[in-house]
Amino acid sequence: MSLQVETQKIGTTLVVRLNGELDHHTAELVRQQVDQELDGDVFKNMIVSMERLEFMDSSGLGVILGRYKKVSQHGGKMALCAVTDSVRKIFELSGVLKILPLYDSEARALTEMGEA
Amino acid sequence: MSLQVETQKIGTTLVVRLNGELDHHTAELVRQQVDQELDGDVFKNMIVSMERLEFMDSSGLGVILGRYKKVSQHGGKMALCAVTDSVRKIFELSGVLKILPLYDSEARALTEMGEA
Amino acid sequence: MMENFMRLEFSGLSANESFARVAVAAFVSQLDPDLEELTEIKTVVSEAVTNAIIHGYEGQAGNVVVICRIEGQTVEIMIEDQGQGIADIEQARQPLFTSKPELERSGMGFTIMENFMDDIEIKSELGRGTTVRLVKTIRSAQVLGH
Amino acid sequence: MMENFMRLEFSGLSANESFARVAVAAFVSQLDPDLEELTEIKTVVSEAVTNAIIHGYEGQAGNVVVICRIEGQTVEIMIEDQGQGIADIEQARQPLFTSKPELERSGMGFTIMENFMDDIEIKSELGRGTTVRLVKTIRSAQVLGH
Ligand SMILES: Nc1ncnc2c1ncn2[C@@H]1O[C@H](COP(=O)(O)OP(=O)(O)O)[C@@H](O)[C@H]1O
Ligand SMILES: Nc1ncnc2c1ncn2[C@@H]1O[C@H](COP(=O)(O)OP(=O)(O)O)[C@@H](O)[C@H]1O
């Protein structure tokens, strides 16, 4: 599979690290794995870390917005971090950056979420 | 272009370093650049160094055998060095290794050629 | 002037989305695009091929066709399906419009294609299929005077 | 069981040899081949496509077609041209036989195809063209129990 999804629980925040290529084919993986975590545990917030995401198209945007809806329905916050230039462009075009904060690094995102 | 050809004169030996992919399309580059060196100067021997050759097919074999003919017509010796496994397999299949010595490293090939 | 052509046809399976991107990128790489241009081309191919699979064939079997033509520094890419077709192209092109919100589509596919390419043309007929034509001139090699 | 199909058609230009290798490798990569298997497949595609361009079309314009079919862990690759054709297939398959020694051909193309693949079939008709059919079962993924 061309995408690896790594999840880690830090305090009440779920950190999701994406490694590889996120498209319609691999979006299903993210949906399943993240929802399993979200449904099984009481997380408040979520950070999506994209340092090693080499490719993302609008299907990736869709799955991230879908998780954002879930998290905010439960009163949680969500943040993105460490995106490459081309991925940033897709977030910018969609206006997502008006609702989702984007941080340079995972550490910074964790601090802002109050987890560090 | 997907192949870089680097040539260096060491004593009476011409060292040819191939970097990238050697196929029918890029073989022409090797032919031109090496023949220009061979025709312009009096080299006795030749070493083809393949440490950074990522791909080679039988067109690569053809261009190397063509240079071998030229060098041996002038009483010179030729050696190959630092090939990857798949490239070695192509040399083996063709029986080329019965006439052309293969060394682990460029340094070793130079020693054997009497240049170091 | 460089002229080149390729036509790629494949099963409309989601596993082929990355294959289609890689194939088009390998074809276009002869124009010496920079990394940004190459990523933009990969992205739009991914968008249009995904649309053919999800919206065109809606999970039914069907082939997707990708045609690339190079003329000079310009590449023309056509992505075709023989699926459902689009009822209202104007509406489909609106940012954030999607007919499949239940599949968590973002509705940004056409907007991304418009932004990443120089030109886009959409032809569609209900019940017959859709063709998206995308054009981009690769500038990076020109700047270097290749 | 996995089933997948692709058909690639392109101008018979030497610049497309690497494109064809990359495209087939990207398609076959869904079977999780190891690096050796992938290199072998790239090599045989390169051999057959180069032959279509050099021997089939002899520098004339013409399209090359590459068809790949995946069934389970087995990939079938067909490389077709509509060029000169081969007069004597037996002779053509001999190691070191080449009809174009002046182009520094090594005559090892078919021998490499035979060695790197499980099966090879050559069909050719003078003046009509040549089809090479290559088959290989990818074993690496099976070992890992995918
Ligand atoms: N190949 C196609 N076949 C049928 N309908 C399509 C096709 N491509 C796009 N559409 C329609 O256009 C809409 C907008 O497409 P797009 O901007 O890519 O967003 P999304 O794919 O996220 O829905 C789709 O929701 C669909 O209704
Ligand atoms: N597609 C083709 N069309 C016509 N002749 C071909 C084709 N492929 C191979 N041949 C013939 O078969 C011979 C052997 O091919 P091959 O083993 O690949 O060696 P080489 O390409 O080095 O000549 C060629 O020299 C040519 O005469």
Side-chain angles (χ1 to χ4, degrees):
Chain A
M1 200 57 67
S2 56
L3 183 80
Q4 274 92 47
V5 185
E6 191 187 303
T7 54
Q8 191 187 348
K9 204 172 142 171
I10 299 182
T12 59
T13 298
L14 179 68
V15 178
V16 179
R17 297 187 194 98
L18 303 177
N19 184 351
E21 310 206 334
L22 176 53
D23 62 6
H24 162 239
H25 185 64
T26 58
E28 194 49 38
L29 266 179
V30 179
R31 195 171 291 125
Q32 282 176 6
Q33 201 166 329
V34 172
D35 284 1
Q36 200 179 332
E37 294 288 340
L38 288 181
D39 297 343
D41 219 325
V42 232
F43 290 107
K44 218 175 130 42
N45 303 323
M46 182 158 140
I47 292 173
V48 184
S49 177
M50 304 184 160
E51 201 177 342
R52 292 192 291 167
L53 190 66
E54 287 147 25
F55 178 85
M56 188 189 87
D57 62 15
S58 77
S59 301
L61 195 64
V63 74
I64 286 170
L65 286 174
R67 292 331 100 216
Y68 169 69
K69 274 185 201 150
K70 274 204 145 185
V71 169
S72 51
Q73 267 161 16
H74 294 88
K77 284 184 298 181
M78 184 161 145
L80 308 171
C81 64
V83 304
T84 60
D85 282 353
S86 57
V87 170
R88 176 198 297 264
K89 210 162 159 182
I90 288 173
F91 283 123
E92 272 167 4
L93 277 178
S94 66
V96 164
L97 298 184
K98 285 172 209 146
I99 52 169
L100 281 182
L102 173 63
Y103 300 108
D104 279 354
S105 68
E106 205 183 294
R108 182 65 200 272
L110 279 166
T111 312
E112 297 288 335
M113 291 284 186
E115 294 290 1
Chain B
M1 201 58 69
S2 55
L3 183 80
Q4 274 92 48
V5 185
E6 191 186 303
T7 54
Q8 192 186 347
K9 203 172 145 174
I10 300 183
T12 59
T13 298
L14 180 67
V15 178
V16 180
R17 297 188 193 96
L18 303 177
N19 183 350
E21 309 207 333
L22 177 52
D23 61 7
H24 162 239
H25 185 64
T26 57
E28 194 49 36
L29 265 179
V30 179
R31 195 171 292 124
Q32 282 176 6
Q33 201 165 330
V34 173
D35 285 1
Q36 201 179 332
E37 294 288 340
L38 288 180
D39 297 344
D41 219 326
V42 233
F43 290 106
K44 219 175 129 42
N45 303 323
M46 182 159 140
I47 292 172
V48 185
S49 178
M50 303 183 160
E51 201 176 341
R52 292 192 291 169
L53 191 65
E54 287 147 25
F55 178 85
M56 188 188 87
D57 61 16
S58 78
S59 302
L61 195 63
V63 75
I64 286 170
L65 286 174
R67 291 333 100 213
Y68 169 69
K69 274 184 202 151
K70 275 205 146 186
V71 169
S72 52
Q73 269 161 14
H74 294 88
K77 284 183 298 181
M78 185 161 145
L80 308 170
C81 64
V83 305
T84 59
D85 281 354
S86 57
V87 171
R88 177 198 297 264
K89 210 162 160 184
I90 289 172
F91 283 123
E92 272 167 2
L93 276 178
S94 66
V96 164
L97 298 183
K98 284 172 209 145
I99 52 169
L100 281 181
L102 174 63
Y103 300 108
D104 279 355
S105 67
E106 204 182 294
R108 183 64 199 271
L110 279 166
T111 313
E112 296 289 336
M113 291 283 186
E115 294 290 3
Chain C
M1 193 177 81
M2 168 136 42
E3 273 192 46
N4 205 344
F5 157 88
M6 73 99 156
R7 179 185 187 278
L8 179 59
E9 180 166 356
F10 53 87
S11 311
L13 302 173
S14 65
N16 288 335
E17 289 155 5
S18 66
F19 159 61
R21 300 196 282 275
V22 171
V24 172
F27 187 72
V28 171
S29 71
Q30 45 187 304
L31 294 182
D32 265 334
D34 62 24
L35 195 63
E36 191 186 341
E37 289 167 325
L38 210 57
T39 304
E40 287 169 348
I41 287 171
K42 277 188 185 177
T43 308
V44 300
V45 170
S46 202
E47 298 297 346
V49 168
T50 301
N51 280 352
I53 294 172
I54 298 185
H55 302 298
Y57 294 120
E58 294 194 297
Q60 305 292 303
N63 285 354
V64 181
V65 174
V66 178
I67 296 171
C68 291
R69 245 180 277 273
I70 286 175
E71 253 191 64
Q73 280 298 119
T74 301
V75 58
E76 177 195 53
I77 307 172
M78 309 233 281
I79 298 96
E80 306 176 357
D81 67 65
Q82 300 185 303
Q84 302 287 323
I86 304 176
D88 183 343
I89 296 182
E90 271 307 293
Q91 182 188 46
R93 290 178 74 149
Q94 296 301 314
L96 304 176
F97 172 81
T98 179
S99 56
K100 297 216 185 308
E102 73 281 9
L103 294 184
E104 298 191 337
R105 306 299 302 159
S106 64
M108 287 300 294
F110 281 133
T111 308
I112 289 171
M113 292 184 240
E114 282 168 18
N115 268 275
F116 282 9
M117 301 296 278
D118 298 337
D119 198 21
I120 177 172
E121 234 174 79
I122 305 163
K123 285 203 180 118
S124 192
E125 211 178 313
L126 276 182
R128 306 214 62 174
T130 301
T131 299
V132 178
R133 179 177 171 271
L134 301 163
V135 181
K136 190 180 183 78
T137 299
I138 301 300
R139 306 188 185 279
S140 49
Q142 292 179 314
V143 173
L144 294 168
H146 281 227
Chain D
M1 193 178 80
M2 168 136 43
E3 272 192 46
N4 204 344
F5 158 88
M6 74 98 157
R7 180 185 187 279
L8 179 60
E9 180 166 356
F10 53 87
S11 310
L13 302 173
S14 65
N16 289 334
E17 289 155 5
S18 66
F19 158 61
R21 301 196 283 275
V22 171
V24 173
F27 186 73
V28 171
S29 71
Q30 47 189 301
L31 294 183
D32 265 334
D34 61 25
L35 195 63
E36 192 186 340
E37 289 168 325
L38 209 57
T39 304
E40 287 169 349
I41 287 172
K42 277 188 186 177
T43 308
V44 299
V45 169
S46 202
E47 297 298 345
V49 168
T50 301
N51 279 353
I53 294 172
I54 298 183
H55 302 297
Y57 294 120
E58 294 194 296
Q60 306 291 302
N63 284 354
V64 181
V65 173
V66 178
I67 296 171
C68 291
R69 245 180 279 273
I70 285 175
E71 253 191 65
Q73 280 296 119
T74 300
V75 58
E76 177 195 55
I77 306 172
M78 309 235 281
I79 298 98
E80 306 177 356
D81 66 66
Q82 301 185 303
Q84 301 287 323
I86 305 176
D88 183 343
I89 296 181
E90 272 305 294
Q91 182 188 46
R93 289 178 74 148
Q94 297 301 313
L96 304 175
F97 172 81
T98 179
S99 56
K100 297 219 186 305
E102 74 281 10
L103 293 184
E104 296 190 336
R105 305 300 302 161
S106 64
M108 288 300 294
F110 281 133
T111 308
I112 289 172
M113 292 184 240
E114 281 168 18
N115 268 275
F116 282 10
M117 301 295 278
D118 298 338
D119 198 21
I120 176 172
E121 234 174 78
I122 305 163
K123 286 205 180 116
S124 192
E125 212 178 310
L126 276 182
R128 306 213 62 173
T130 301
T131 299
V132 178
R133 180 176 169 272
L134 302 162
V135 181
K136 190 180 183 78
T137 299
I138 301 300
R139 304 186 187 281
S140 49
Q142 292 178 313
V143 173
L144 294 167
H146 281 228

